[in-house]
Amino acid sequence: MSDCIFCKIVNDEIPAKKLYKDEHVIAFLDIAPITKGHTLVIPKVHQESISAVPAEYQQKMMHVSSQIGKAFVRTGEYDGFNLHLNNGQCAGQVVPHAHMHVVPRIGTDGFHWNWRNLSYEENEADEIIAKFNEKFSI
Ligand code: 5GP
Ligand code: ZN
């Protein structure tokens, strides 16, 4: 897509600090990292939603992301990593080209997810599953 910043990185029209590329994906450092080494793994095809990305590209995104996380841990600089994907503006997606975040972590890096712990009312979980099952297909 001509006005997509990540397609421009795929096509070498704008620079990026690339770590890896193959026929399906490229990986490059995030320009404003959560931790140093924060990497984005993107499909070479333009789709805004991860669910619209062809399965072989999705599979490669996950495989490459986990291997990049493992490599950062092997450097000895990190103890673990987060894989994180924002899908949709309401979910925090800013760049409308699907991408996986790989965030290398150490316990002292000072970053915390703003997690919360809700609970289900009686029957609520079963109702959610019933509605989901009406729509789910794979
Ligand atoms: P999102 O919020 O859409 O999941 O994440 C988009 C990410 O892309 C952000 O972490 C942001 O820092 C990164 N980003 C945006 N523009 C560029 C760019 O031009 N180059 C690089 N390397 N990263 C970018
Ligand atoms: Zn794109």
Side-chain angles (χ1 to χ4, degrees):
M1 198 190 187
S2 60
D3 62 348
C4 171
I5 196 148
F6 284 0
C7 284
K8 287 183 175 157
I9 290 174
V10 169
N11 296 326
D12 286 325
E13 291 167 19
I14 63 168
K17 295 290 185 187
K18 294 193 180 112
L19 290 88
Y20 176 80
K21 61 181 167 184
D22 62 27
E23 70 272 35
H24 293 109
V25 302
I26 65 167
F28 52 93
L29 293 179
D30 194 295
I31 205 167
I34 290 174
T35 62
K36 303 294 173 70
H38 178 175
T39 297
L40 301 173
V41 180
I42 74 169
K44 283 184 164 177
V45 289
H46 179 90
Q47 289 292 344
E48 181 166 352
S49 173
I50 187 64
S51 58
V53 173
E56 66 268 31
Y57 289 81
Q58 291 194 34
Q59 287 158 8
K60 188 62 82 68
M61 284 172 73
M62 178 56 81
H63 181 61
V64 168
S65 295
S66 68
Q67 294 308 111
I68 287 173
K70 185 168 82 172
F72 276 122
V73 171
R74 281 179 166 169
T75 67
E77 302 281 323
Y78 308 92
D79 296 326
F81 55 90
N82 293 107
L83 299 185
H84 180 84
L85 191 150
N86 297 320
N87 198 75
Q89 205 174 4
C90 69
Q93 185 175 6
V94 174
V95 176
H97 180 129
H99 51 279
M100 180 77 84
H101 296 260
V102 185
V103 185
R105 302 299 305 274
I106 49 171
T108 55
D109 62 31
F111 180 69
H112 301 281
W113 300 102
N114 190 16
W115 216 258
R116 65 179 182 179
N117 295 283
L118 302 178
S119 59
Y120 291 105
E121 303 294 330
E122 199 182 351
N123 298 329
E124 200 179 3
D126 290 336
E127 286 163 14
I128 288 168
I129 291 169
K131 280 186 192 165
F132 162 81
N133 280 332
E134 284 175 17
K135 301 293 181 191
F136 184 66
S137 67
I138 197 159

